Amino acid sequence: MSSTQSTLSVSFLRALARRRRARLQGYTPDPVTLQALLRLHGDASLVVVLLVLSVLTVVPVAGVGTILSFAIFAIAWRWAIGGLHRPGLPFEKSLNHIALSPQWSERVLRFMATLYTRADRWLHPRWPSVFHSRWAMGWAFWIAAMAAIIFLPLPLGNVLPSLSLVFLCLAWMFKDGLACLGSLIVGLAAIAYTAAFGQLVWAMGVQGFTLARSWLGL
């Protein structure tokens, strides 16, 4: 594991401490944006961008999940053509304007610090064949599938697909194939939840149509 990966939790804890110290001194901390989160990583890889976007999709800001789902689709396309090390992405400038509230800024920073602390403890290189280039198209399809679920307006529908993508990104960062298996399990749960919700909506629609016909005497 690289020293960068092992100190990520420290970077986020320091950022959280700086915000709290500024607030105690009477200052208003700057809002946390995508650019700020990427700067804390010190890494410009596509995997890191996907990880940050996946975390932000569960933040309850109106329309953010929908907007970020298109960005995740773009990442899936870049993943499919083998561009994991990107110099820049076309949507990044517009996404940098998405700012979190002070409360959610601290929650996201705390979550990222905890995430890397646990990952540093539990993940390690294994199952290297999972990361072979022959599987790139399959993983790109998986990312696009999770983005499609995030796009749908389902109650709490962002949580499972976002968590699946987080597992996938950590797997790539720590080269741990077992985390890829975790991504698949959580993603399949997201697909099952989406299918069940869709079936429920369809059944309610059919029932409503039947009731309407009976009221109208058709």
Side-chain angles (χ1 to χ4, degrees), residues 150-212:
I150 291 172
F151 174 78
L152 297 174
L154 304 178
L156 301 177
N158 291 3
V159 177
L160 288 176
S162 299
L163 186 58
S164 174
L165 293 178
V166 167
F167 273 121
L168 180 62
C169 293
L170 290 176
W172 242 262
M173 293 173 67
F174 289 82
K175 299 303 178 185
D176 192 336
L178 186 60
C180 287
L181 178 61
S183 173
L184 293 175
I185 292 173
V186 176
L188 288 174
I191 294 172
Y193 173 79
T194 304
F197 189 84
Q199 187 176 10
L200 176 62
V201 171
W202 176 262
M204 292 176 62
V206 171
Q207 185 177 9
F209 180 73
T210 303
L211 289 174

Side-chain angles (χ1 to χ4, degrees), residues 7-200:
T7 58
L8 282 173
S9 59
V10 176
S11 298
F12 281 92
L13 286 173
R14 286 176 176 172
L16 184 61
R18 285 195 297 269
R19 294 182 64 84
R20 291 178 175 176
R21 186 165 55 250
R23 194 169 59 252
L24 289 174
Q25 294 174 352
Y27 299 103
T28 301
D30 294 332
V32 171
T33 62
L34 171 65
Q35 186 178 30
L37 292 174
L38 292 178
R39 192 183 305 118
L40 286 172
H41 284 85
D43 188 348
S45 73
L46 198 67
V47 173
V48 168
V49 178
L50 178 59
L51 175 63
V52 173
L53 293 182
S54 301
V55 171
L56 292 181
T57 56
V58 298
V59 176
V61 178
V64 168
T66 301
I67 295 172
L68 295 184
S69 66
F70 287 105
I72 295 174
F73 273 121
I75 288 177
W77 170 253
R78 185 67 66 86
W79 196 295
I81 62 177
L84 293 184
H85 301 284
R86 61 100 177 95
L89 291 168
F91 55 78
E92 205 167 305
K93 289 185 178 179
S94 59
L95 293 181
N96 285 338
H97 298 296
I98 297 177
L100 304 179
S101 66
Q103 182 181 20
W104 276 98
S105 293
E106 296 196 2
R107 287 180 179 178
V108 169
L109 291 173
R110 191 183 304 112
F111 173 80
M112 298 296 288
T114 303
L115 180 68
Y116 286 122
T117 299
R118 300 289 174 82
D120 192 22
R121 186 181 307 164
W122 295 337
L123 302 185
H124 56 85
R126 52 189 160 182
W127 300 5
S129 61
V130 173
F131 307 101
H132 195 278
S133 59
R134 66 174 174 268
W135 301 112
M137 189 64 68
W139 288 118
F141 176 80
W142 185 255
I143 294 169
M146 294 302 102
I149 298 176
I150 291 172
F151 174 78
L152 297 174
L154 304 178
L156 301 177
N158 291 3
V159 177
L160 288 176
S162 299
L163 186 58
S164 174
L165 293 178
V166 167
F167 273 121
L168 180 62
C169 293
L170 290 176
W172 242 262
M173 293 173 67
F174 289 82
K175 299 303 178 185
D176 192 336
L178 186 60
C180 287
L181 178 61
S183 173
L184 293 175
I185 292 173
V186 176
L188 288 174
I191 294 172
Y193 173 79
T194 304
F197 189 84
Q199 187 176 10
L200 176 62

